[in-house]
Structures are given as C-alpha cells and as structure tokens.
Amino acid sequence: MSQHPSDEPWKICYAQLAPKLLLFARQWVASQADAEDVVQNAFIRFWRKRPDAGPEHYPLLYAAVRSTALDLLRADSRRARRETDEARQPWHDHDCWFDASLEQREEAEAIQAALERLPEEQREVLVLKIWSDFTFAQIADVLGASINTVASRYRYAIDALRRILKPAEYERI
Amino acid sequence: MSESELENELRGVRPAQPSPELERRIARELEHAQKPFTAADAAARAALVEGSRRGFFEFLPSLGWALTGAAAALITIYFLPRPKPQTLPASPKFAQAAVAETFFEPAETMTELVDAEAEDLQWNPGEEPARLVRVTYLERYTWNDANTGAVMEFEVPREDIYRMPVALQ
C-alpha cells in the first residue's frame, strides 16, 4: 500500500504542532526568523533520531526546541559580549506571536505584552498548558521539573496574568 | 473572572503560523536523509563489490611474493648489528607543543537558580522547629582551548538542602 506523502509522521506532527512550537520558541529569541530557525533545527534533529515518533514523544520535541533556543540565546549573549555591539537588537521585536483578526488584534497584543512581563519559568509553563494543551506531567517532562513545581508556576502565572489583564476585576476579588 | 474563563480567553487567540518556507526547509533536510536506495544505487554497489572480489583473487599471487619479501627483510634486519639506544635531550618546546595540542582552560562558570521549594516544618525531638528548603541549581561550565578554538560546555545539576530554624524565618 503506497503512503500518501501527507501521511508521513513528521508531516502530521508538523501540521499539528508547528505554530505551537513556534510560539514556544518565540519566548527566548529575538525574532520570528530566529524562532523558525530554532524550530527547524530542533525538528530535524528530533525526526532524524526518531523517524517513527508518535504523539507520546512530542514532549521530547518541545524539550529539543527549548534546548536549541537556549543555546541560541547563550551564543547571542556571548557574541554580544565579545563584539560589544551597542546596536544589538532588543530582546524582542514587535512581530505578533498570535494570528489575530482585526477585532482580536488589540487583545492579542495585550496578551503578548502580558506574557512578556512574566518570569521565564512561569511563561513557558503557561504557554505549554494553554496553547499546547499539555498536562502538568507532560510539561514536567519537557522542563525536567517536578509536577508540583510546574503546577505552582502555572498558578503564579495565571494569577499574574489576571492581575495584568484584568486589574479592576483582580482588585474586586 | 475565574481561572477557567481567563484560560478560555487566552485560548481564543491562536499562535501565529510559521512561514511556508519553514516547512519546505524541513522537508528538504528530512527527505534528503531518508532518500530511498534505488535500483541504480544497488547496481553501482554490486559493481563495486564485484570489482573488489575480482581484484582480491587476482591480487593473491602478488600478496604471496610480497609477504615472502617482507619476511626476508625482517630476518635480515633481525641479524643486523643494532645501534646503541640514545637518550634524546629533554626538549621543553616539544613537551609544550605536545601538551598544547589539546589543552582546555576554564572560561566561564554560570550558576542558574532553577527552583526553590520550602517544605513543611519539621519537629525533631531536642531541636527547635525548622523548615527544609531545597534549592536547585544548574551549573554551566565553559572550557576553551586557546590553540584550537574548541569550546567544551557541560551542565551539572545541583541541589542544596538548607535547614532553617524557625527563629530565622
């Protein structure tokens, strides 16, 4: 039985996860282009090692994206220190992390701005929980942390987002 | 706004789509790695193996003569007078060059605080109550080889456990 090209495991995975992986990578790198480079490198490395990977292996793919992004971040930091580049690009440019219709644009930008204010360890847990639909156990596998730690970071993140996005409602609670 | 309402509101915005070029780049790399072994490749490999096999059998008589010559040379060398062993003078430059071929030096050490967790109070008999605090670090070491430019990086997780008496909290 011949296999339709779109049935290849990596293509199925890509179709399901590409935007989510990109959002995950976007937290650490300065631009959408860098985030795509990170996803590309991690994705290729992952699929070369596990050509028949299934959904149960996807947390490892996220872990690979995270590791690749952090390596790029460290390399950029070292390069900036060596080159003393005063015109170094700021931490983030203003690509929108989300696909938003015109009506949703303002809300999407507000959510992105709020996410950028979160500490890194809370933001990555929140992104994995909300937009990748991972369980706390899966997130713990991605981050190499305990489930309790992941759960408490999520609580702090949600609480912080509520404070930032809905300050009036937060004060009433 | 409840937590679930906020979660639903967050899920209402979808992550941005990657550029079409990303999938093309990934496809190029993965399909190159998975390139099937075609009939033409099989024929080429078979021809190579056959050529090697024929060459091997043709090579045997020559090998025999070569081994005979090598044996004769060894026997001759064995019976030749041997020069006295000499001690080479110590050469600091040589020693330094040999050491300098691969010599990593520490360049950077970073310690990252990963997590800190406080456990419940402990009440041990004869001691004042205290709380255990577990602090997890990730230590990153970077070593450089100035001669070759090689960089070696490794990470070591570390967990410190502190016992903090209540009086200090």
Side-chain angles (χ1 to χ4, degrees), chain A residues 1-142:
Chain A
M1 183 174 69
S2 65
Q3 219 177 13
H4 193 276
S6 63
D7 292 340
E8 292 182 55
W10 77 261
K11 290 191 177 181
I12 294 171
C13 174
Y14 187 88
Q16 287 177 2
L17 296 187
K20 300 172 184 180
L21 292 171
L22 200 63
L23 177 64
F24 189 55
R26 194 65 183 80
Q27 301 175 76
W28 290 287
V29 296
S31 67
Q32 189 81 343
D34 282 348
E36 291 200 357
D37 286 346
V38 164
V39 170
Q40 176 187 339
N41 292 337
F43 199 90
I44 289 167
R45 206 168 67 226
F46 175 83
W47 282 99
R48 278 182 176 163
K49 270 190 191 173
R50 298 172 189 83
D52 295 316
E56 67 276 14
H57 301 113
Y58 290 173
L60 295 174
L61 175 55
Y62 278 83
V65 167
R66 183 174 187 267
S67 164
T68 306
L70 289 174
D71 286 344
L72 180 64
L73 191 63
R74 282 197 289 272
D76 282 350
S77 299
R78 283 197 297 269
R79 193 180 310 122
R81 282 202 301 273
R82 281 201 305 270
E83 297 171 357
T84 62
D85 182 357
E86 292 175 358
R88 184 168 175 259
Q89 197 171 358
W91 180 76
H92 59 87
D93 61 22
H94 289 283
D95 287 343
C96 193
W97 293 4
F98 300 100
D99 263 344
S101 62
L102 209 55
E103 293 82 16
Q104 280 185 319
R105 188 81 181 174
E106 195 175 323
E107 183 184 13
E109 288 178 354
I111 290 173
Q112 178 174 335
L115 287 173
E116 289 172 355
R117 289 173 62 179
L118 291 180
E120 213 173 78
E121 64 274 8
Q122 292 178 17
R123 183 175 58 238
E124 59 186 356
V125 170
L126 187 100
V127 166
L128 289 171
K129 187 83 174 72
I130 297 292
W131 286 287
S132 294
D133 281 324
F134 276 359
T135 63
F136 287 140
Q138 288 174 313
I139 297 172
D141 284 343
V142 172

Side-chain angles (χ1 to χ4, degrees), chain A residues 36 40 81 99 149 154, chain B residues 7 14 19 25 108 117:
Chain A
E36 291 200 357
Q40 176 187 339
R81 282 202 301 273
D99 263 344
T149 298
Y154 181 73
Chain B
E7 288 173 343
R14 290 173 305 144
S19 64
R25 294 201 308 253
E108 186 179 62
E117 283 188 50

Side-chain angles (χ1 to χ4, degrees), chain A residues 8 10-11 14 18-19 22-23 32 36-37 39-40 43-44 47-48 74 78 81 96-99 104 107-108 111 129-131 133 146 149 153-155 158 161-162 165-166 169, chain B residues 1-3 6-34 108 110 112 114-115 117 140 142 151 153 155:
Chain A
E8 292 182 55
W10 77 261
K11 290 191 177 181
Y14 187 88
L22 200 63
L23 177 64
Q32 189 81 343
E36 291 200 357
D37 286 346
V39 170
Q40 176 187 339
F43 199 90
I44 289 167
W47 282 99
R48 278 182 176 163
R74 282 197 289 272
R78 283 197 297 269
R81 282 202 301 273
C96 193
W97 293 4
F98 300 100
D99 263 344
Q104 280 185 319
E107 183 184 13
I111 290 173
K129 187 83 174 72
I130 297 292
W131 286 287
D133 281 324
S146 71
T149 298
R153 288 179 188 172
Y154 181 73
R155 294 279 173 273
I158 281 287
L161 277 191
R162 198 188 295 141
L165 292 171
K166 309 284 178 187
E169 292 184 22
Chain B
M1 174 180 274
S2 68
E3 184 175 307
L6 178 57
E7 288 173 343
N8 289 337
E9 189 172 316
L10 294 173
R11 288 193 178 99
V13 289
R14 290 173 305 144
Q17 291 288 331
S19 64
E21 181 57 26
L22 176 61
E23 185 173 6
R24 281 197 287 272
R25 294 201 308 253
I26 290 173
R28 249 196 323 268
E29 291 286 337
L30 289 177
E31 283 162 12
H32 177 74
Q34 292 169 2
E108 186 179 62
M110 285 176 54
E112 178 187 337
V114 174
D115 191 22
E117 283 188 50
R140 294 193 182 89
T142 304
V151 177
E153 292 180 342
E155 295 179 342

Side-chain angles (χ1 to χ4, degrees), chain B residues 68-117:
Chain B
T68 307
L74 283 172
I75 292 167
T76 306
I77 290 168
Y78 183 78
F79 286 107
L80 280 174
R82 296 191 187 99
K84 288 180 187 171
Q86 295 179 7
T87 304
L88 291 173
S91 169
K93 285 184 188 175
F94 177 79
Q96 282 173 8
V99 169
E101 280 177 10
T102 52
F103 185 69
F104 282 93
E105 288 181 322
E108 186 179 62
T109 301
M110 285 176 54
T111 302
E112 178 187 337
L113 174 65
V114 174
D115 191 22
E117 283 188 50

